[in-house]
Amino acid sequence: MSQTNKLKIFNDPIYGFITIPNSLIYDLIQHPYFQRLRRISQMGMSYLVYPGAHHTRFHHALGCMHIMQKAVQTLQFKGVAISEEEENALYIAILLHDIGHGPYSHAMEHSIVEEVHHEELSLFFMEQLNREFDGKLALAIQVFKGEYHRKFMLQLISSQLDMDRMDYLKRDSFYSGVAEGNINSERLIQMMHVQDDVLVIEEKGIYSVEKFLVARRLMYWQAYLHKTSVVAELILTKILKRAKELTQKGITLPCSEPLQFFMQNKISLVDFDKTVLDKFAFLDDYDVMGAIKSWQFHDDFVLQSLCKMILNRDLLKIQMTDDKPNKENLLAIKNKFMTYAKISDKEADYFVFKGKLKNQAYSKLSEPIRILKKDKTVEDVVEASDQLHLKALSKPVTKYFICFPKVMLDA
């Protein structure tokens, strides 16, 4: 039997050629759990605002692995000892860091699966793969959980300047066309070093860090928290909530078997065994969009109306404000819509609601981005920078919004 060539290359529009470092990584990429990421979009409903934003989590995971390879090469070149086993653990951990994402990501976390976050699911997938691959992922899991003694390894995977953020900013800005998000990841990686087991950026890289933080802030307000993306994701969450509510009442809704399973059962963290995990692994964007296409014809007014909104991009009106919305105004709109659509108070909640968005480009409470000065001292980037706006970037910004049907504008 001929041995498959496992040292493949991928052609990536961002970095050019991405090489698979070894056969274990190849086998992980080939696994159905990982291949599923080809069917999960990276930016959820953002394609309703930026038509090009159709790239997948598969793309992103490979990109993260590629820049992790660059980071490891840079650190080794600067004399940081990273063994082959540690190197492999870094590649596996970053490759699988998003494997727990469900269809349209965050909409799932708030509707179908009860408060189970994708990080926890990623860990479940990694542990299951570890069993299948005879314990070869053990060190990667240790690093991913922050239990490995070399702190900088976790920072490369999950911190305020990790490979994940570096790839998604560059990739999402490329596919959405929001040029402000484009960062110089190569320069940032070249400036990395490790001191006292902690990841630092050499002082001459400080401007690249500033640009990275500004790019992150702009991408949040212009892409991730764009009001149309926000309202579309909220409608999607409400569609899944309504569908689950109807299913629990005994109404059968046409949809795929894995989606049906999560609609019929209340699944929380403790319920995730191999059977449930495999069911979850069969879920992707196609299940949800296929269901929405058939539910637009359902006789439930709430479900069909919300489904049509997504399919025809005729969404609820969303109004952003700096101050908390007036409760009386919201109640008046809701009452008007109840009369107009002849629906109950509870049903009207699906169409008229309020919320808030929070964004903080840099958090002083989290692990800081450390700058290594020429005199070998280490300083938080906010202190080291001569830019006043970095202090402003570390303040959380909150915006409020109300959503309601467009017909209420004329009413």
Side-chain angles (χ1 to χ4, degrees), residues 175-292:
Y175 280 96
S176 62
V178 179
E180 289 83 354
N182 193 7
I183 54 157
N184 191 344
S185 53
E186 279 161 33
R187 169 121 177 117
L188 281 165
I189 287 168
Q190 287 302 322
M191 294 297 117
M192 285 183 170
H193 209 329
V194 171
Q195 176 152 318
D196 301 327
D197 206 39
V198 168
L199 195 66
V200 291
I201 299 288
E202 291 166 5
E203 192 174 13
K204 56 182 182 278
I206 193 164
Y207 300 116
S208 302
V209 177
E210 288 172 3
K211 166 95 168 54
F212 166 84
L213 292 172
V214 171
R216 191 162 182 266
R217 174 177 172 269
L218 294 174
M219 277 301 282
Y220 267 85
W221 289 125
Q222 239 175 301
Y224 310 131
L225 299 179
H226 185 290
K227 63 179 191 169
T228 306
S229 307
V230 168
V231 75
E233 192 162 296
L234 287 166
I235 292 170
L236 184 63
T237 307
K238 288 181 181 293
I239 288 172
L240 295 169
K241 271 199 164 135
R242 182 62 171 179
K244 189 161 187 172
E245 197 182 303
L246 294 172
T247 306
Q248 307 259 328
K249 282 181 183 165
I251 298 167
T252 309
L253 298 176
C255 64
S256 71
E257 195 269 328
L259 188 56
Q260 193 86 57
F261 173 82
F262 284 96
M263 307 273 262
Q264 285 170 345
N265 300 288
K266 226 179 148 100
I267 302 292
S268 59
L269 201 58
V270 288
D271 304 308
F272 267 88
D273 55 12
K274 172 133 182 9
T275 313
V276 175
L277 194 68
D278 283 344
K279 288 244 194 275
F280 186 81
F282 281 118
L283 275 180
D284 55 51
D285 290 6
Y286 300 165
D287 295 83
V288 174
M289 206 38 86
I292 288 174

Side-chain angles (χ1 to χ4, degrees), residues 124-168:
F124 285 148
F125 276 117
M126 286 165 86
E127 283 164 348
Q128 181 53 37
L129 287 167
N130 194 36
R131 286 188 279 275
E132 289 180 31
F133 284 88
D134 305 322
K136 287 179 187 159
L137 281 73
L139 186 58
I141 291 170
Q142 219 182 326
V143 173
F144 186 79
K145 288 163 83 173
E147 291 171 357
Y148 192 58
H149 66 278
R150 303 191 76 182
K151 194 175 172 184
F152 79 89
M153 286 176 65
L154 176 65
Q155 288 173 290
L156 286 168
I157 290 155
S158 176
S159 67
Q160 297 203 72
L161 189 63
D162 56 24
M163 302 303 116
D164 175 33
R165 289 182 185 192
M166 259 187 235
D167 182 81
Y168 77 61

Side-chain angles (χ1 to χ4, degrees), residues 18-21 64-74 91:
I18 291 178
T19 53
I20 295 179
C64 289
M65 182 193 71
H66 173 75
I67 55 175
M68 182 66 88
Q69 286 173 277
K70 298 283 178 222
V72 167
Q73 284 163 13
T74 299
Y91 300 156

